[in-house]
Amino acid sequence: MYYLGIDLGGTNIAAGVVDAENRIVARAKRKTAVPCTPQEICEQLAQTAEEALRRAGLLLDDLPYIGVGTPGLVNRESGVVEFSNNLFFKNLELQKLLSERLRKKVILENDANAAAFGEYQSGALRGTRNGIAITLGTGIGSGILIDGKIYSGSNYAGGEFGHTVIVANGRPCTCGRRGCWEAYASATGLIVETREAMKSDRNSLLWKIAGSLEKVDGKTAFDAMRAGDKTGTKVVDQYLLYLACGLTNCINIFQPDVLCIGGGISNEGDFLLNPLRRAIAAENYARNAKKQTKLCLAQLGNDAGILGAALLGLE
């Protein structure tokens, strides 16, 4: 048995063919061209899926369905992406359009939920009863598994930890609120903090490491910290404070067996995990419980979304 999963992102569309042992045996990728019409985004997805199938030497008839993970509020019952602030979708009938284009059953899910399900099937959440996957990227993606099932609330909009407020009346967020965790603890939030620090300290190593404000990325502040730069260290410390605040909120609400962190910033490894573990241990409401949530890195990287989408039919 083979499955096909599509991970729709704001930058790239990635598709993969997955075998019965949860291995990705063929891939295809293309840049996401948005904003665009519903038909155009559907065509981009279809062509990426077809390319992955060609590389696997398979036909659509060899698949039971096609799974798609997409950013935004995804109504799995209707197959409609009701809202996606980063992809400019509003009430997009993606399941219907893609199913008609490919003449195949399509299962739709939020991309962060799909990634969490991928980690549950073959990654850091495997073998857990209850788990949470947090992805630190352009925004903050979050997926919740309860008793092995994706939790999405009564209206399929649940689990959006990135849009819980940690600073009242704080920075504007693309969702329309102010002070969202995503605005502070995403890679974008870290870049904003780093640039502001560079503007206030022209002698910081941040300038030498990045070269310019335009070239700042999620590693810049961490690299400066490791080089002993005081301003870079201050940026990282503040970022970790914001990140730990949101993670502790997640744990205090759900007390999962495992909470894994993915996305580009997770590549910082122990420089990220060790201070987070200390901060969470101090603020976790259940700090005296015998069983504590395990905080670890996600294992599947960018494959989590593809794998999770491909296996949605097994949920």
Side-chain angles (χ1 to χ4, degrees), residues 121-151:
Q121 288 289 335
S122 291
L125 301 183
R126 189 171 186 177
T128 64
R129 181 181 176 188
N130 304 307
I132 294 175
I134 300 293
T135 303
L136 305 174
T138 304
I140 291 183
S142 50
I144 305 165
L145 276 298
I146 297 178
D147 291 329
K149 300 290 185 181
I150 296 171
Y151 176 78

Side-chain angles (χ1 to χ4, degrees), residues 39-52:
Q39 290 73 23
E40 287 169 343
I41 193 63
C42 179
E43 189 61 29
Q44 292 179 57
L45 293 169
Q47 290 183 14
T48 311
E50 290 168 341
E51 178 63 23

Side-chain angles (χ1 to χ4, degrees), residues 149 205 215 278:
K149 300 290 185 181
L205 277 177
K215 294 182 179 179
R278 290 192 293 269

Side-chain angles (χ1 to χ4, degrees), residues 136-178:
L136 305 174
T138 304
I140 291 183
S142 50
I144 305 165
L145 276 298
I146 297 178
D147 291 329
K149 300 290 185 181
I150 296 171
Y151 176 78
S152 54
S154 61
N155 59 356
Y156 302 96
E160 288 289 346
F161 288 124
H163 300 294
T164 56
V165 170
I166 63 167
V167 179
N169 200 34
R171 291 180 191 161
C173 180
T174 56
C175 75
R177 300 189 78 187
R178 298 184 71 94

Side-chain angles (χ1 to χ4, degrees), residues 57-131:
L58 298 172
L59 302 172
L60 282 164
D61 288 343
D62 296 317
L63 305 174
Y65 60 85
I66 290 174
V68 180
T70 176
L73 198 168
V74 180
N75 188 320
R76 278 191 65 172
E77 185 175 352
S78 66
V80 173
V81 183
E82 296 180 352
F83 177 68
S84 179
N85 52 305
N86 293 323
L87 287 177
F88 313 101
F89 295 163
K90 187 174 182 181
N91 294 322
L92 174 65
E93 294 182 306
L94 186 57
Q95 184 182 68
K96 176 177 179 289
L97 291 171
L98 189 57
S99 180
E100 290 176 350
R101 166 61 175 79
L102 293 174
R103 298 183 181 179
K104 199 74 188 178
K105 177 182 177 181
V106 171
I107 302 176
L108 208 59
E109 182 55 91
N110 169 269
D111 60 341
N113 289 345
F117 192 61
E119 291 288 345
Y120 176 77
Q121 288 289 335
S122 291
L125 301 183
R126 189 171 186 177
T128 64
R129 181 181 176 188
N130 304 307

Side-chain angles (χ1 to χ4, degrees), residues 172-216:
C173 180
T174 56
C175 75
R177 300 189 78 187
R178 298 184 71 94
C180 286
W181 188 34
E182 177 173 296
Y184 292 88
S186 64
T188 304
L190 177 55
I191 289 169
V192 168
E193 285 281 341
T194 305
R195 286 173 174 164
E196 289 302 313
M198 290 170 67
K199 292 175 184 177
S200 64
D201 184 0
R202 292 283 174 176
N203 296 317
S204 170
L205 277 177
L206 291 166
W207 285 98
K208 182 177 180 180
I209 290 169
S212 68
L213 291 174
E214 291 72 26
K215 294 182 179 179
V216 170

